[in-house]
Amino acid sequence: MVNYTQMLKTREPTLLDREDGHWYQTKFDDVYPSISTILSATATEDKKNGLKNWKANEPAHDYITKQSQHIGTQSHKIIEDYLSNNLSLEEFDLLPIAHFNNLKPFLENISDVMCIEQRMYSDKLKVAGTSDLIAYYNGELSIIDYKTKRKPQIDDYMYEYYLQTTCYAQMFHEVTGQKINQIVILVSSEKNTRQEFIKTCDDYIEPMNERIEKYYLNNLA
C-alpha cells in the first residue's frame, strides 16, 4: 500500500515568518505564497471594501479579530487532539469546547485519518498551504476544513474556502498521484448551529487557477 503520508512529510515545506501573508519555503529553496494569501490579494473590490467598512464602523474590530483567531486556533487543536485520540479538555476555554461538541456529530463521519495540519505545495501552481485534515468522510477521501463563525453561513460565503480546499487537493495530487475530488467544510457558529458543506473539486479548479494566474499577473506587472 502506498504511504501517502510519508510522501507528503518528505516534501513538507517550512512556514516562513513574514508580515505580508503566509509564505512557505520548499526544501529546494523555492518560496511560494499560501493559497489564502493569494485569495486575499485577488478578492473582489466589494469583498475588500466590505472588510474596510466593517473595520471603520466597528470600534472593537481588533479585539473581535483576535478573539476569533484565538477561538479558531483552540477549536482546531481540540479537534486535532480528538482525532489523534489524545484529547484532554482541561487546557481549553469554554467556547472552543462548545464548538467541538457542536461539530462532534460531523466528526463521527471521519475515518482513516491520513494527515492533520499538513503543509504542502505545488511547483506547477507555485502555491503552498496547510490543510486542516486529509481523511475519509462518509467513505470518500476528502480535504476537510473546520471553521468557527459568529453566525450561521450561507453557501456564497463559503466560496473562497471551496477554492482554498480545492487547491489543497491539487497539491496532494501533484505529490502523490492520487486524486481527491471531495472537499468538506464543517462550520460551527456561536448561534449553536452546525453546517456541513460538501462539494466536488472539479467544479472549482478553473476559478482557482484563474485567481492564481491573476495574482501572478498583478505581481509581475
Side-chain angles (χ1 to χ4, degrees):
M1 184 175 178
V2 179
N3 189 334
Y4 297 131
T5 305
Q6 185 57 42
M7 293 172 72
L8 291 164
K9 290 296 181 186
T10 300
R11 264 176 63 105
E12 195 167 42
T14 301
L15 179 62
L16 301 178
D17 183 15
R18 291 175 52 157
E19 295 183 358
D20 57 341
H22 291 133
W23 292 73
Y24 294 78
Q25 183 173 349
T26 75
K27 296 184 186 302
F28 303 99
D29 292 332
D30 293 308
V31 176
Y32 298 140
S34 71
I35 182 60
S36 59
T37 295
I38 287 176
L39 293 174
S40 177
T42 58
T44 64
E45 289 305 312
D46 282 348
K47 189 175 181 67
K48 290 178 180 177
N49 289 334
L51 180 59
K52 288 179 183 177
N53 291 336
W54 175 74
K55 288 183 176 179
N57 294 299
E58 175 52 76
H61 67 85
D62 276 339
Y63 173 80
I64 292 171
T65 300
K66 288 176 182 177
Q67 278 297 102
S68 296
Q69 291 171 345
H70 175 71
I71 291 164
T73 298
Q74 282 210 355
S75 299
H76 275 68
K77 184 66 167 63
I78 294 173
I79 294 172
E80 291 166 21
D81 289 351
Y82 171 75
L83 294 172
S84 302
N85 298 311
N86 187 35
L87 180 60
S88 173
L89 293 175
E90 295 176 0
E91 62 184 282
F92 298 105
D93 299 332
L94 290 178
L95 187 50
I97 293 172
H99 281 304
F100 163 68
N101 286 325
N102 192 31
L103 287 178
K104 203 170 181 183
F106 290 150
L107 301 180
E108 299 303 321
N109 298 328
I110 295 170
S111 63
D112 301 307
V113 173
M114 193 173 295
C115 302
I116 297 174
E117 287 289 313
Q118 180 61 54
R119 297 193 300 274
M120 300 181 287
Y121 67 92
S122 165
D123 285 321
K124 179 181 177 182
L125 298 173
K126 299 187 184 305
V127 64
T130 302
S131 173
D132 286 350
L133 181 67
I134 305 172
Y136 283 79
Y137 194 85
N138 290 331
E140 183 169 346
L141 185 59
S142 306
I143 300 289
I144 304 167
D145 263 26
Y146 2 92
K147 307 294 180 187
T148 54
K149 299 291 184 181
R150 299 176 73 193
K151 298 183 292 186
Q153 303 296 290
I154 61 174
D155 193 69
D156 286 350
Y157 296 168
M158 296 290 104
Y159 182 72
E160 302 287 287
Y161 298 136
Y162 300 153
L163 299 182
Q164 183 177 347
T165 47
T166 292
C167 193
Y168 296 150
Q170 302 313 296
M171 296 177 202
F172 182 90
H173 187 205
E174 185 174 317
V175 175
T176 67
Q178 173 66 46
K179 184 174 182 179
I180 296 179
N181 204 31
Q182 179 166 278
I183 50 178
V184 181
I185 314 292
L186 305 177
V187 182
S188 173
S189 84
E190 293 177 21
K191 302 295 185 182
N192 201 33
T193 62
R194 59 175 169 264
Q195 296 168 282
E196 175 192 56
F197 297 88
I198 300 178
K199 299 292 180 178
T200 299
C201 286
D202 286 348
D203 295 334
Y204 299 95
I205 291 175
E206 185 175 343
M208 176 208 72
N209 284 330
E210 288 174 355
R211 294 285 287 276
I212 294 172
E213 288 171 8
K214 180 181 178 181
Y215 174 84
Y216 278 106
L217 284 172
N218 289 345
N219 283 274
L220 289 174

